């Protein structure tokens, strides 16, 4: 990837990440509280739905930037723009690599954010300090494996579907899709991926919110899923599915549309610069 492409991916990814995280934060809070083991009302209900927003604001730019730099680089390295029946597989590999890298930034931010969302009366910095004091750095990375195990299947569905929908739309209209069309494709792809990966999201939430030292806090995804299934059945595994689908569909529209638009503008500016 040339330098303008690298910088465009970094900046466009960061802008898209901040935009979507701040706009959709209330829906994310509601989803987290629905999945909380203490129940929606005890976790705060509709009160303080912006609790934890500083953590999301700090983490969203570098998280999204890291994802898209990796995603675009791996696509370039694998020659994913060439027409081939292997193209969807290349998009899957690029998305998976992007998620593994991005989660190094996303997980600490997510741990602090989710604890703030179910403890609206406690300041975000105090939650961060408490985690470091009681659990150390590993406390900030609690749920890393479960987050990666949620994000990789999600991206394996979302990004190849997004790229395929864009390619199909481009073929039908005989020119490359506009940014708003890319956003529509992102909404469909995100909503579908959100629905099928909700049980993994529930497991991740339970692990991140579990008390230190408990069996759930160990980070075993299958054990967390089994515990939810045993206590709440299928409804528990799909807790928060509708706000998750709504948030990620809208998020896919904003995130991927904003990314495409910003990326195109920056590349155009890069080409015009001497």
């Amino acid at each position: 990837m040339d330098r303008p492409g690298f910088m465009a991916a970094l900046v466009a990814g960061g802008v898209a990440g901040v935009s979507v995280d701040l706009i959709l934060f209330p829906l994310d809070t509601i989803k987290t509280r629905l999945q909380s083991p203490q129940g929606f009302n005890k976790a705060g209900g509709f009160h303080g739905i912006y609790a934890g927003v500083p953590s999301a604001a700090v983490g969203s730019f570098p998280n999204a930037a890291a994802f898209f730099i990796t995603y675009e680089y791996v696509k370039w390295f694998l020659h994913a723009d060439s027409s081939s029946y292997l193209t969807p597989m290349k998009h899957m590999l690029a998305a998976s690599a992007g998620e593994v890298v991005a989660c190094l930034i996303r997980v600490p931010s997510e741990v602090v954010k989710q604890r703030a969302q179910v403890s609206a009366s406690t300041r975000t910095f105090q939650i961060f300090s408490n985690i470091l004091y009681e659990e150390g750095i590993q406390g900030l990375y609690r749920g890393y494996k479960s987050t990666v195990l949620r994000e990789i299947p999600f991206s394996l569905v979302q990004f190849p579907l997004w790229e395929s929908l864009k390619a199909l739309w481009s073929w039908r209209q005989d020119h490359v899709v506009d940014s708003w069309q890319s956003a529509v494709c992102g909404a469909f792809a995100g909503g579908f991926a959100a629905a099928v990966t909700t049980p993994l999201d529930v497991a991740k939430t339970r692990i991140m919110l579990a008390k230190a030292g408990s069996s759930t806090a160990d980070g075993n995804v299958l054990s967390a899923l089994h515990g939810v299934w045993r206590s709440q059945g299928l409804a528990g595994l799909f807790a928060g599915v509708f706000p998750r689908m709504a948030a990620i569909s809208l998020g896919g529209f904003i995130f991927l549309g904003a990314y495409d638009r910003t990326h195109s503008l920056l590349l155009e500016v890069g080409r015009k610069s001497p």
Side-chain angles (χ1 to χ4, degrees):
M1 192 185 301
D2 59 8
R3 188 172 174 182
F6 182 85
M7 288 303 297
L10 187 151
V11 176
V15 168
V18 171
S19 301
V20 74
D21 281 354
L22 295 184
I23 291 169
L24 301 181
F25 194 84
L27 274 176
D28 183 69
T29 300
I30 291 167
K31 183 267 301 180
T32 298
R33 291 174 180 177
L34 284 167
Q35 293 177 351
S36 168
Q38 67 203 79
F40 179 71
N41 290 326
K42 286 187 178 178
F46 291 103
H47 172 70
I49 57 174
Y50 275 95
V53 76
S55 175
V58 168
S60 57
F61 189 100
N63 161 39
F67 173 84
F68 273 112
I69 287 173
T70 309
Y71 179 68
E72 296 290 355
Y73 180 80
V74 174
K75 277 203 317 180
W76 169 81
F77 183 77
L78 297 173
H79 306 288
D81 291 333
S82 58
S83 351
S84 162
Y85 65 92
L86 290 174
T87 297
M89 188 67 70
K90 293 174 181 178
H91 290 151
M92 288 179 179
L93 287 171
S96 299
E99 291 297 357
V100 171
V101 173
C103 280
L104 293 171
I105 300 166
R106 182 180 308 150
V107 170
S109 170
E110 187 95 343
V111 169
V112 174
K113 179 197 74 175
Q114 290 205 316
R115 294 194 190 182
Q117 286 174 328
V118 297
S119 308
S121 59
T122 310
R123 287 178 173 272
T124 301
F125 184 74
Q126 186 181 340
I127 290 171
F128 173 75
S129 302
N130 289 344
I131 293 170
L132 281 180
Y133 178 75
E134 294 171 10
E135 303 176 59
I137 293 292
Q138 64 266 34
L140 290 173
Y141 280 93
R142 189 205 289 181
Y144 177 81
K145 286 187 294 184
S146 62
T147 305
V148 170
L149 286 173
R150 176 197 68 174
E151 296 295 356
I152 287 180
F154 178 86
S155 291
L156 288 177
V157 176
Q158 184 189 33
F159 281 90
L161 184 55
W162 176 53
E163 300 277 12
S164 299
L165 289 171
K166 286 196 301 177
L168 178 62
W169 203 335
S170 297
W171 175 73
R172 290 291 297 272
Q173 65 186 9
D174 205 27
H175 65 81
V176 176
V177 291
D178 296 325
S179 297
W180 72 267
Q181 293 171 322
S182 175
V184 171
C185 294
F188 277 105
F192 181 75
V196 299
T197 57
T198 296
L200 294 171
D201 187 54
V202 171
K204 186 268 307 178
T205 299
R206 292 298 180 93
I207 289 167
M208 286 186 171
L209 296 181
K211 290 183 179 179
S214 67
S215 58
T216 306
D218 291 341
N220 188 310
V221 176
L222 289 178
S223 175
L225 287 170
H226 179 68
V228 174
W229 170 261
R230 195 173 51 197
S231 61
Q232 294 175 275
L234 192 63
L237 290 175
F238 282 90
V241 64
F242 293 115
R244 175 170 162 79
M245 283 180 67
I248 293 179
S249 291
L250 188 52
F253 185 89
I254 298 167
F255 185 61
L256 297 175
Y259 175 75
D260 248 16
R261 182 62 180 158
T262 309
H263 190 253
S264 299
L265 286 173
L266 290 171
L267 287 178
E268 192 176 328
V269 169
R271 281 192 293 269
K272 289 178 179 177
S273 299

